[in-house]
Amino acid sequence: MLGRALQEYLQPPGGVRNHTLEQCLRLYHTIRAPRAERVQMTSRQAGDLYQMKAEEFAGLSFDDALPVAKAMIQDRMKWIWTVDIDNVYEQARTEWQQSKATL
């Protein structure tokens, strides 16, 4: 995404630069920050999950906790592989351009 934001600045569509480098980097940050926060959150959750310290394991024996762990692990990082990051970028870019037009 950083590459796309820099390209937005260095080679703007139509060849006319109508935004600053700072604006392009801010666009990148609007996409990066929520994803980075979600990765951090899921990393903390993974630690609790792999140590079986998550709330879902309270009061369960090891054998009873295994199916719960499997269900929690199965799709926990699917979002990072299935989200179309190019679509996320284009949507953020469109919203950014619309907000610039209303200023």
Side-chain angles (χ1 to χ4, degrees), residues 11-17:
Q11 298 173 355
V16 178
R17 184 178 300 148

Side-chain angles (χ1 to χ4, degrees), residues 11-71:
Q11 298 173 355
V16 178
R17 184 178 300 148
N18 58 3
H19 37 264
T20 66
L21 178 59
E22 181 181 352
Q23 290 170 324
C24 292
L25 292 175
R26 205 172 308 133
L27 170 63
Y28 162 71
H29 182 72
T30 64
I31 299 165
R32 183 202 62 79
R35 288 178 61 84
E37 289 171 9
R38 190 164 180 192
V39 167
Q40 290 172 349
M41 178 187 65
T42 59
S43 293
R44 283 190 296 275
Q45 291 171 343
D48 289 343
L49 172 61
Y50 300 147
Q51 295 293 319
M52 292 191 171
K53 293 181 181 179
E55 292 177 12
E56 292 83 353
F57 301 120
L60 296 178
S61 69
F62 180 78
D63 289 336
D64 290 338
L66 289 178
V68 175
K70 179 184 178 202

Side-chain angles (χ1 to χ4, degrees), residues 4 35 79-90:
R4 296 259 328 249
R35 288 178 61 84
W79 68 271
I80 206 159
W81 301 109
T82 58
V83 170
D84 182 351
I85 192 68
D86 290 322
N87 187 39
V88 171
Y89 180 87
E90 288 304 322

